[in-house]
């Protein structure tokens, strides 16, 4: 993202909780990185990385690091059998290292297991009619009860915050499974089945926590990991983009900027559910309102592909521009030199001032 004033630009690396969350936050906190041996969504051994704040008290973890969609080849993607266990392994490593807080970025996962894999890695167990649930998703809809006596001993001494990229319900229309499972390899029938399982799991989570989990902000993020965080850890749930913008002192930059350019790969109606561009727009609107005097920061949205343009413009973007020429293949558009040229062309053609 870039902010402009009188022809000068300031570049602000940001993330909404998905890919890049660890790097952006760790750098803003002058932190270091720690490598962990863990498992990917299909149970293969991998090495993933999370950040530690300079004083070692805060761990910065993104679910995409061990449970990310990018870790699974397109032909192998199937949320019926993809687990968030690796995310729990990373959290366990951080807990055992003595951190006081875990900031977990929620987004970009290949999973839709309601966070059960993550919880299993942290010592939670799930009772089904046939016994305790093994890691994986096959019996997700049969879960009757959560057993927490063997949970990681350090959990009570650590504050956990979930930073979600989009705020969707745990289940139902527009929820974790129906909205995002198809992007993770599910057929419509599979998405419906997972959604029904998530409804049962939500009932179990709500009984365990004493709180209705379904519509907690961020509960459906990262395939339902957000709901698991709230149910089992009483985690604070916050929009990831707002926290990142605060840490980056974006408000201070707006003091001397009148134009902001933000972007993402594909902008559509989902952008307005809390993704980076909408978060930037809302942050700028709030800043303008607090300043008063009729101030209006122009926020331009650039995207590789644009759908639902009218709705995006109605939300308040000054303009919404698709940088990829019609007919250009996705593979070509994603080549770094081509993408850079397309972005540069789009920006130079904007009438910013």
């Amino acid at each position: 993202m870039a902010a402009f004033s009188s022809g000068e630009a300031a570049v602000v690396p940001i993330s909404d909780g998905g890919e890049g969350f660890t790097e952006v936050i760790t750098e803003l906190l002058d932190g270091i990185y720690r490598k962990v041996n863990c498992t990917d969504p299909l149970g293969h051994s991998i090495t993933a990385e999370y950040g530690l704040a300079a004083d070692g008290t805060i761990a910065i973890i993104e679910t995409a690091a061990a449970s990310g969609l990018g870790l699974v080849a397109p032909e192998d993607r199937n949320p019926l059998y993809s687990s968030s266990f690796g995310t729990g392994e990373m959290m366990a490593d951080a807990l055992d290292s003595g951190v006081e807080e875990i900031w977990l970025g929620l987004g970009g996962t290949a999973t839709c297991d309601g966070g059960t894999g993550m919880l299993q890695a942290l010592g939670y167990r799930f009772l089904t009619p046939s016994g305790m649930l093994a890691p994986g998703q096959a019996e997700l809809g049969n879960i009757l009860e959560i057993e927490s006596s063997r949970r990681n001993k350090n959990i009570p001494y650590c504050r956990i915050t979930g930073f979600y990229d989009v705020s969707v319900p745990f289940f139902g229309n527009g929820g974790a499974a129906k909205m995002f499972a198809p992007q993770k390899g599910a057929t419509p029938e599979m998405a419906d089945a997972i959604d029904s399982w998530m409804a049962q799991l939500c009932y179990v989570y709500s009984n365990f926590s004493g709180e209705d989990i379904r519509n907690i902000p961020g509960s459906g993020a990262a395939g339902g990991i957000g709901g698991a965080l709230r149910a089992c850890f009483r985690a604070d749930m916050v929009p990831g983009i707002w926290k990142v913008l605060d840490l980056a002192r974006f408000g201070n930059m707006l003091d001397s900027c009148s134009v902001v350019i933000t972007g993402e790969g594909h902008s559509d109606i989902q952008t307005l559910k809390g993704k980076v561009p909408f978060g930037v727009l809302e942050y700028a609107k709030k800043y303008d309102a607090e300043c008063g005097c009729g101030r209006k920061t122009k926020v331009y949205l650039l995207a590789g592909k644009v759908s639902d343009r009218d709705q995006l413009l109605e939300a308040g973007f000054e303009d919404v521009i698709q940088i990829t020429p019609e007919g250009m293949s996705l593979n070509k558009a994603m080549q770094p030199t081509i993408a850079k040229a397309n972005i540069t062309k789009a920006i130079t053609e904007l009438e910013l001032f």
Side-chain angles (χ1 to χ4, degrees):
M1 180 184 67
F4 293 85
S5 179
S6 303
E8 297 181 359
V11 179
V12 188
I14 53 176
S15 169
D16 56 9
E19 296 91 337
F21 178 80
T22 293
E23 181 179 4
V24 169
I25 296 289
T26 303
E27 296 301 320
L28 287 171
L29 296 179
D30 296 321
I32 60 173
Y33 295 94
R34 180 178 174 92
K35 293 185 182 298
V36 183
N37 293 322
C38 56
T39 52
D40 74 5
L42 299 181
H44 303 132
S45 296
I46 60 169
T47 300
E49 190 173 71
Y50 67 87
L52 284 169
D55 62 2
T57 62
I58 303 172
I60 305 100
I61 303 172
E62 62 185 60
T63 56
S67 306
L69 190 62
L71 298 173
V72 184
E75 63 272 17
D76 294 330
R77 292 173 182 171
N78 185 336
L80 288 173
Y81 302 106
S82 299
S83 173
S84 59
F85 195 87
T87 293
E89 291 177 305
M90 296 183 74
M91 294 173 68
D93 185 88
L95 287 165
D96 293 343
S97 73
V99 298
E100 298 173 8
E101 294 188 54
I102 292 177
W103 293 0
L104 188 64
L106 303 172
T109 67
T111 64
C112 204
D113 68 351
T116 54
M118 172 196 70
L119 292 174
Q120 287 172 319
L122 292 168
Y124 288 81
R125 299 191 298 168
F126 296 90
L127 179 65
T128 74
S130 57
M132 290 296 175
L133 179 67
Q137 179 126 6
E139 295 185 83
L140 189 61
N142 293 327
I143 291 175
L144 301 175
E145 189 177 340
I146 303 175
E147 203 282 316
S148 62
S149 65
R150 301 183 185 183
R151 70 178 184 176
N152 186 294
K153 65 181 184 301
N154 296 309
I155 288 174
Y157 311 105
C158 183
R159 178 180 177 183
I160 298 175
T161 303
F163 296 84
Y164 55 87
D165 58 350
V166 292
S167 184
V168 297
F170 194 77
F171 71 93
N173 291 329
K178 291 197 173 183
M179 182 71 75
F180 296 111
Q183 300 174 10
K184 304 175 184 186
T187 64
E189 294 75 19
M190 289 163 58
D192 286 343
I194 295 172
D195 185 66
S196 68
W197 298 344
M198 295 280 281
Q200 168 62 18
L201 182 60
C202 187
Y203 173 78
V204 174
Y205 279 161
S206 297
N207 278 348
F208 182 81
S209 66
E211 178 180 27
D212 184 2
I213 294 301
R214 179 181 183 182
N215 293 309
I216 294 295
S219 65
I225 290 177
L229 292 181
R230 182 68 177 186
C232 294
F233 309 132
R234 303 295 297 175
D236 294 323
M237 304 296 292
V238 298
I241 182 61
W242 282 77
K243 181 64 174 182
V244 173
L245 290 172
D246 280 341
L247 289 173
R249 300 182 182 276
F250 184 52
N252 292 351
M253 295 181 184
L254 288 175
D255 285 340
S256 57
C257 291
S258 56
V259 173
V260 174
I261 296 176
T262 185
E264 62 182 340
H266 182 189
S267 291
D268 58 15
I269 196 68
Q270 292 184 25
T271 299
L272 304 181
K273 294 184 179 293
K275 295 212 168 195
V276 162
F278 188 62
V280 170
L281 175 66
E282 290 295 286
Y283 200 103
K285 283 182 177 179
K286 181 174 181 292
Y287 177 87
D288 290 344
E290 291 175 349
C291 287
C293 303
R295 175 190 167 95
K296 183 180 186 301
T297 303
K298 296 180 180 180
V299 180
Y300 291 84
L301 170 55
L302 273 58
K305 181 179 179 181
V306 173
S307 305
D308 309 315
R309 185 171 184 273
D310 289 344
Q311 291 96 320
L312 294 169
L313 289 171
E314 289 173 7
F317 290 104
E318 188 72 15
D319 202 356
V320 180
I321 301 100
Q322 178 172 302
I323 68 166
T324 305
E326 292 296 337
M328 180 177 286
S329 70
L330 179 61
N331 286 339
K332 183 175 181 180
M334 291 182 67
Q335 294 175 20
T337 54
I338 299 295
K340 181 178 180 180
N342 288 339
I343 293 171
T344 301
K345 182 175 185 297
I347 291 177
T348 54
E349 291 177 354
L350 289 177
E351 295 182 3
L352 299 178
F353 303 102

